[in-house]
Amino acid sequence: DGADRERGWTEAAVVEVEGAVRGALEIAEVALRSHTCAVFMLSPDDRELRLRECRSASEAVTRAPIPAGEGALGGAVRRRAPVRLHGDVKAVSYYADGTRPGALLAVPLVDRRGDHVRGVVVADRLERTPFSDGDERLLSTLAAEILRAVDAERLLIDTKRERDEKRRFYDVIERLNRTAKPPEVFDATFEAARAIVPVDFAAITLAEDVEGKRLHRVVRVAAREGTPPARLEGLEGLEFPDDSGLVASVVRLDSSLPAKDIDLAKTPVFDPATRLKGLASLKIVPLRTGQEVLGAVVLGAERPHAYGADAVRQLEVVAMQAANAIYRARLFEKTER
């Protein structure tokens, strides 16, 4: 079917990209008469270099991450310029057995804007025959081709991930639209949120008027598997007034809060007596239907900065769908009664 064809095309394209990187290294290996020719990519935090592809007569090239700030490879990364060494070259970090090449040429993989180093391609020889200016130009040209291939692969993977995320997102939205009872709506809302962002803690609150005053109640709580029971104890069914807590503010202002990461140990989410511990990120989204706010969806994650602006916009769409589903479910229950 169409999905299988699309998946097959993506996988084939990634294989083609890998072949392009290997082909560039084969050219470098033959043209430069190298003992080892390898591509190392920087880790996301720029602290480590990780082997991506290698052509070598040695079996001692390590696959373990190596520090990005050390040796000739680190010099190419720091300077954003090629490094050439020959003669008394020290043992290099990418050989596990302490091999000392007689000559080495390292060229950084610098993106087209020139403001970020993505990795480094290195060629070495065991004999002390120095690399020439022409060798450097050749490896620099191949480095640009390798970087283009890596960028193409990243684009393919990101496109596939985005497509899969959208499919999951719309599948859960469709499920929300089919739910007929509040408990089903709550579970579908949590599932939709997990398809978008990390969720280690989740709760849904509903607001109602009692004797002319707004009262909030936690109607459903969920957490990832392995969460200590003490973290959830007493939350489901908790009732609290319309005070200065974050949930009450979200319902009152009809706006997602908080705007930035806060200290949850000191900030009341539900009421002053209840604190959420062990979470580094929090986002509370209003359950809005028409001009009425029914309550809020509370989401928490253990890692910081888990809820970016794009993800929050998607969560707000989910929350609106959930609010409409809750409204329909209430009508359904009323009709049944």
Side-chain angles (χ1 to χ4, degrees):
D1 61 15
D4 285 339
R5 281 198 304 273
E6 190 175 8
R7 184 168 54 252
W9 176 86
T10 302
E11 291 171 354
V14 171
V15 170
E16 285 293 322
V17 169
E18 292 175 349
V21 175
R22 282 195 298 269
L25 283 189
E26 288 174 9
I27 293 171
E29 179 187 33
V30 173
L32 301 177
R33 305 180 306 282
S34 67
H35 175 66
T36 291
C37 193
V39 177
F40 290 87
M41 302 302 297
L42 274 169
S43 60
D45 60 6
D46 291 345
R47 293 183 178 179
E48 295 177 336
L49 286 165
R50 298 169 181 171
L51 184 65
R52 166 63 193 266
E53 195 67 53
C54 179
R55 299 275 301 180
S56 180
S58 171
E59 295 182 358
V61 178
T62 180
R63 295 225 167 240
I66 58 178
E70 296 181 2
L73 303 191
V77 169
R78 287 193 305 274
R79 293 172 52 195
R80 300 184 185 179
V83 170
R84 268 193 273 172
L85 302 172
H86 70 277
D88 189 22
V89 180
K90 296 180 180 179
V92 291
S93 52
Y94 55 85
Y95 283 118
D97 62 356
T99 296
R100 299 181 62 168
L104 181 145
L105 172 60
V107 175
L109 299 172
V110 184
D111 63 20
R112 280 173 290 184
R113 294 175 299 179
D115 59 356
H116 186 61
V117 178
R118 303 275 296 283
V120 61
V121 56
V122 61
D124 67 33
R125 297 168 177 159
L126 293 184
E127 63 273 15
R128 297 190 173 191
T129 305
F131 287 97
S132 66
D133 291 344
D135 293 335
E136 184 178 311
R137 286 194 296 272
L138 171 66
L139 194 59
S140 295
T141 300
L142 291 174
E145 294 301 318
I146 289 170
L147 188 56
R148 272 194 284 272
V150 170
D151 282 342
E153 181 185 56
R154 176 176 293 184
L155 179 62
L156 288 167
I157 293 172
D158 287 347
T159 300
K160 182 179 183 299
R161 183 186 300 116
E162 183 179 348
R163 186 178 62 244
D164 292 344
E165 288 174 351
K166 283 183 177 178
R167 184 178 295 122
R168 289 197 303 270
F169 176 72
Y170 288 116
D171 284 348
V172 179
I173 289 292
E174 185 180 348
R175 180 186 164 190
L176 265 175
N177 289 331
R178 293 198 307 264
T179 53
K181 297 187 177 182
E184 297 173 355
V185 176
F186 304 152
D187 292 341
T189 302
F190 292 155
E191 184 180 341
R194 291 190 187 100
I196 302 170
V197 293
V199 178
D200 296 310
F201 169 84
I204 290 179
T205 70
L206 294 178
E208 57 184 4
D209 288 332
V210 178
E211 297 179 356
K213 294 183 180 180
R214 180 182 286 163
L215 185 69
H216 301 268
R217 181 165 55 90
V218 179
V219 295
R220 182 60 65 93
V221 175
R224 66 172 177 81
E225 188 175 349
T227 298
R231 183 180 293 180
L232 306 181
E233 189 176 355
L235 280 179
E236 192 158 319
L238 174 70
E239 294 184 347
F240 52 99
D242 195 43
D243 54 16
S244 59
L246 282 175
V247 168
S249 297
V250 165
V251 174
R252 190 164 51 249
L253 300 174
D254 187 13
S255 178
S256 299
L257 293 174
K260 58 183 180 180
D261 288 347
I262 57 175
D263 186 353
L264 291 175
K266 300 178 180 178
T267 306
V269 175
F270 303 108
D271 61 13
T274 307
R275 291 287 190 271
L276 294 179
K277 298 179 181 179
L279 300 176
S281 297
L282 181 79
K283 189 61 66 174
I284 306 174
V285 183
L287 288 166
R288 182 192 311 113
T289 175
Q291 300 301 313
E292 183 184 3
V293 179
L294 304 181
V297 181
V298 182
L299 301 172
E302 293 178 355
R303 71 175 178 87
H305 316 300
Y307 304 131
D310 290 340
V312 171
R313 282 192 288 270
Q314 291 188 15
L315 291 172
E316 287 172 344
V317 173
V318 169
M320 283 191 289
Q321 295 288 335
N324 288 322
I326 292 170
Y327 183 74
R328 290 195 305 270
R330 284 176 166 178
L331 290 179
F332 182 79
E333 287 187 333
K334 185 177 179 180
T335 304
E336 278 192 325
R337 287 196 299 270

